[in-house]
Amino acid sequence: MIDQPTLTPRQRQDLRTIAAMIIPASEEYRVPGADDSAIQADMLATLGRDTKLVAAALDHLARLAGAPLAELDAAKRDAVAQEFRKHGGVAAATLVRVVLQCYYRDDCVLGSLGLELRAPFPKGHVLPDGDWSLLDPVKARGGSLRRAP
């Protein structure tokens, strides 16, 4: 088994801070910010192959800030974020993607968007067990052989 790299405590703190900057909480829509503990836990649990790029982005942020982001005043944090957006490259894009994908799969967020918290099919229509009639058109086509790539 390959050891997955993990984020340091400082990187985790900066991730929480930058996530809140990307998507702040909204009382109007009753949704948490991207710094919500459940969303953060999802991010950390699902980083996988993105861990190195996210860590690189957080290290770049730390160099720009010169201190943990949470310790900076709002104006300084915004200036650091703007500089990061200009020069962060692929690592910055990966960081933003990770924040967005974890945020928009949170149940509270999906509910606030009017999306159901289940798969869209069969939309309340129950299919009887063992009813494979939906496959009849596929079976009628017959088999086809194709070369494997």
Side-chain angles (χ1 to χ4, degrees):
M1 178 179 213
I2 300 172
D3 274 343
Q4 282 288 352
T6 58
L7 300 180
T8 66
R10 179 178 173 159
Q11 288 171 328
R12 289 177 185 210
Q13 179 185 8
D14 284 349
L15 175 62
R16 181 177 294 271
T17 303
I18 199 71
M21 291 173 68
I22 294 170
I23 305 176
S26 171
E27 289 184 30
E28 178 183 356
Y29 297 107
R30 295 189 307 267
V31 292
D35 61 335
D36 179 76
S37 58
I39 295 170
Q40 287 291 304
D42 183 29
M43 278 184 220
L44 294 172
T46 60
L47 278 175
R49 65 188 172 113
D50 291 325
T51 304
K52 286 182 182 179
L53 280 174
V54 169
L58 294 168
D59 288 344
H60 186 169
L61 273 168
R63 282 191 304 277
L64 290 172
L69 287 174
E71 293 177 6
L72 301 178
D73 62 56
K76 178 71 173 163
R77 265 197 316 259
D78 286 343
V80 167
Q82 291 303 321
E83 184 67 21
F84 178 65
R85 282 179 50 189
K86 289 179 191 172
H87 305 289
V90 173
T94 300
L95 175 61
V96 171
R97 180 183 48 78
V98 165
V99 170
L100 294 176
Q101 78 184 16
C102 291
Y103 183 76
Y104 284 107
R105 69 179 169 218
D106 182 75
D107 290 350
C108 292
V109 175
L110 289 173
S112 77
L113 295 171
L115 298 173
E116 297 179 33
L117 304 179
R118 63 181 176 85
F121 183 80
K123 285 281 190 189
H125 303 288
V126 178
L127 299 175
D129 285 339
D131 180 6
W132 296 98
S133 62
L134 290 174
L135 292 177
D136 288 344
V138 176
K139 290 178 186 176
R141 283 191 291 190
S144 64
L145 299 175
R146 295 186 185 140
R147 246 174 221 248

